[in-house]
Amino acid sequence: MVKVLVIINCIILAIGNCGGPLIMRLYFNNGGKRIWFSTFLETAGFPVIFIPLLFSYIARRRSNNVGDDTSFFLIKPRLLIVAVFIGILSGFDNYLYAYGIAYLPVSTAALIIASQLAFIAIFSFFMVKHKFTPFTINAVVLLTVGAAVLGMHTETDKPVHETHKQYIIGFLMTVAAAVMYAFILPLVELAYQKARQPMSYTLVLEFQLILCFLASIVSVIGMFIAGDFKALPKEAREFKLGEALFYVVAVFSAIIWQGFFLGAIGLIFCTSSLVSGIMISVLLPITEVLAVIFYHEKFQAEKGLSLALSLWGFVSYFYGEIKSGKDKKRIQQEESPETEQSSLSSEC
């Protein structure tokens, strides 16, 4: 069952991770200017989570004895409070990311976000006690250098209609988004560990529902302050693809982004925050290729070098994890005969 959940979450994460930035950039490329609105769309699809929660509730109700009360929600106050806190953090993190996508090519933003694996490894070490290995350290260095390479010769990558200042701010905002999200993923894993109630996939869905709901509230407040509610009708009418497609893009954006967050949170439950970060890095080349195909983005030497360093860092980390897993398995196999022998001698 766990393997099935891992596969499902990987597929959902892949669709959201590759499709989310592309459809968000589609909005900005065709006259969209409201950053808080884009932030809202990243989590506005949370109502779709009620569908699997409803099926889970019906299944639990059928399995319970007649007359027993079946609660729709399983989450307890301790985990609820953490979900609220992480949801608020996610709202601001989504704003940083949306700001970056507004002023950066998708391929550049994807390369920067890939560097979050390095930050996830660091935060995981302190928060959930994931161990550092030489391979992990090598991956951290390579991913950090890969992100730094993108900061070189930025003028060649800057979209024509944007100023150098806007590009730099977008670059820094995307880096900040990567760091904050790298902090959020281990924080979610820590929340699961300290929940003080049995974790199930239904509970993970409830956690995601609350997280996205709070992040959406943050976005709505930002939209109100920025005047997005007044500006959106006019923006829809002036959208280059047409008013109808403006709303189609908005709806699909909300659904696709929900898949990304649901897949990431689900993978943390099934595996760990590091595996979730690795999966995001694995999808980097696909996002790069799609951005070049659909938006004809330039792929300069700096991007090529950054991509090579990022992939090298990923391979280094992944190889280290496989090697570490084999070593642990070998040690357990060596210890098991000794344990059996000691138990037999004690019986004698």
Side-chain angles (χ1 to χ4, degrees):
M1 184 61 182
V2 175
K3 288 182 178 179
V4 174
L5 284 175
V6 169
I7 293 171
I8 292 172
N9 281 288
C10 283
I11 294 172
I12 295 172
L13 178 61
I15 294 170
N17 188 74
C18 296
L22 292 172
I23 199 165
M24 182 180 282
R25 189 63 199 177
L26 180 67
Y27 164 75
F28 287 116
N29 281 352
N30 290 278
K33 298 176 182 177
R34 317 311 297 183
I35 295 176
W36 274 115
F37 175 62
S38 295
T39 304
F40 171 71
L41 293 177
E42 291 183 59
T43 51
F46 71 87
V48 300
I49 301 176
F50 278 109
I51 298 173
L53 284 179
L54 179 61
F55 283 113
S56 175
Y57 170 73
I58 294 171
R60 293 200 313 273
R61 191 173 180 179
R62 287 178 178 176
S63 63
N64 285 347
N65 296 324
V66 179
D68 291 349
D69 291 332
T70 304
S71 176
F72 188 86
F73 290 106
L74 302 175
I75 194 165
K76 292 182 178 180
R78 181 185 178 89
L79 195 59
L80 174 64
I81 293 170
V82 177
V84 169
F85 173 70
I86 296 177
I88 294 171
L89 281 182
S90 297
F92 290 106
D93 179 54
N94 293 342
Y95 175 77
L96 294 173
Y97 181 75
Y99 199 106
I101 287 291
Y103 296 111
L104 293 182
V106 173
S107 53
T108 303
L111 285 166
I112 297 171
I113 292 297
S115 68
Q116 72 184 6
L117 180 59
F119 298 110
I120 291 173
I122 294 169
F123 287 128
S124 295
F125 175 77
F126 291 104
M127 295 168 68
V128 288
K129 308 303 180 184
H130 282 298
K131 293 182 179 179
F132 265 120
T133 66
F135 300 100
T136 305
I137 296 170
N138 185 48
V140 169
V141 172
L142 288 169
L143 288 166
T144 304
V145 173
V149 166
L150 283 177
M152 302 166 59
H153 308 294
T154 53
E155 284 292 345
T156 58
D157 188 42
K158 180 177 65 65
V160 179
H161 60 281
E162 292 164 13
T163 65
H164 181 70
K165 182 180 178 181
Q166 287 176 325
Y167 184 94
I168 293 298
I169 294 175
F171 188 96
L172 294 176
M173 286 286 201
T174 309
V175 171
V179 175
M180 186 176 286
Y181 196 64
F183 172 74
I184 288 172
L185 289 182
L187 188 60
V188 170
E189 185 177 356
L190 183 63
Y192 291 168
Q193 294 177 1
K194 305 292 184 180
R196 291 185 183 176
Q197 67 177 117
M199 290 299 300
S200 63
Y201 196 69
T202 299
L203 198 55
V204 170
L205 291 174
E206 292 178 13
F207 187 91
Q208 173 72 3
L209 178 69
I210 296 162
L211 187 156
C212 288
F213 175 66
L214 265 296
S216 298
I217 289 177
V218 171
S219 304
V220 168
I221 294 171
M223 288 174 66
F224 180 77
I225 295 172
D228 285 10
F229 291 103
K230 293 180 180 179
L232 282 173
K234 181 182 177 183
E235 187 173 271
R237 290 192 299 270
E238 296 176 353
F239 197 61
K240 293 178 183 178
L241 299 179
E243 186 174 358
L245 280 178
F246 174 86
Y247 295 105
V248 171
V249 169
V251 171
F252 272 90
S253 181
I255 295 172
I256 290 173
W257 274 118
Q258 191 56 49
F260 168 77
F261 287 107
L262 189 58
I265 297 295
L267 268 183
I268 294 173
F269 167 70
C270 298
T271 53
S272 70
S273 56
L274 275 172
V275 173
S276 185
I278 289 170
M279 184 63 188
I280 293 171
S281 298
V282 169
L283 297 167
L284 170 64
I286 300 175
T287 307
E288 291 283 319
V289 172
L290 291 175
V292 172
I293 293 173
F294 288 110
Y295 297 133
H296 308 289
E297 293 183 357
K298 298 177 182 178
F299 197 83
Q300 304 95 328
E302 292 83 8
K303 284 187 182 180
L305 179 58
S306 180
L307 178 60
L309 290 171
S310 297
L311 291 176
W312 183 9
F314 159 71
V315 171
S316 174
Y317 178 82
F318 196 65
Y319 175 77
E321 287 297 298
I322 293 175
K323 190 174 184 299
S324 177
K326 288 182 178 179
D327 291 342
K328 287 180 182 178
K329 190 175 182 180
R330 178 177 52 81
I331 293 170
Q332 289 175 353
Q333 289 175 346
E334 290 175 354
E335 288 179 349
S336 57
E338 295 177 2
T339 306
E340 292 175 4
Q341 192 173 10
S342 60
S343 61
L344 287 172
S345 59
S346 62
E347 290 176 3
C348 295

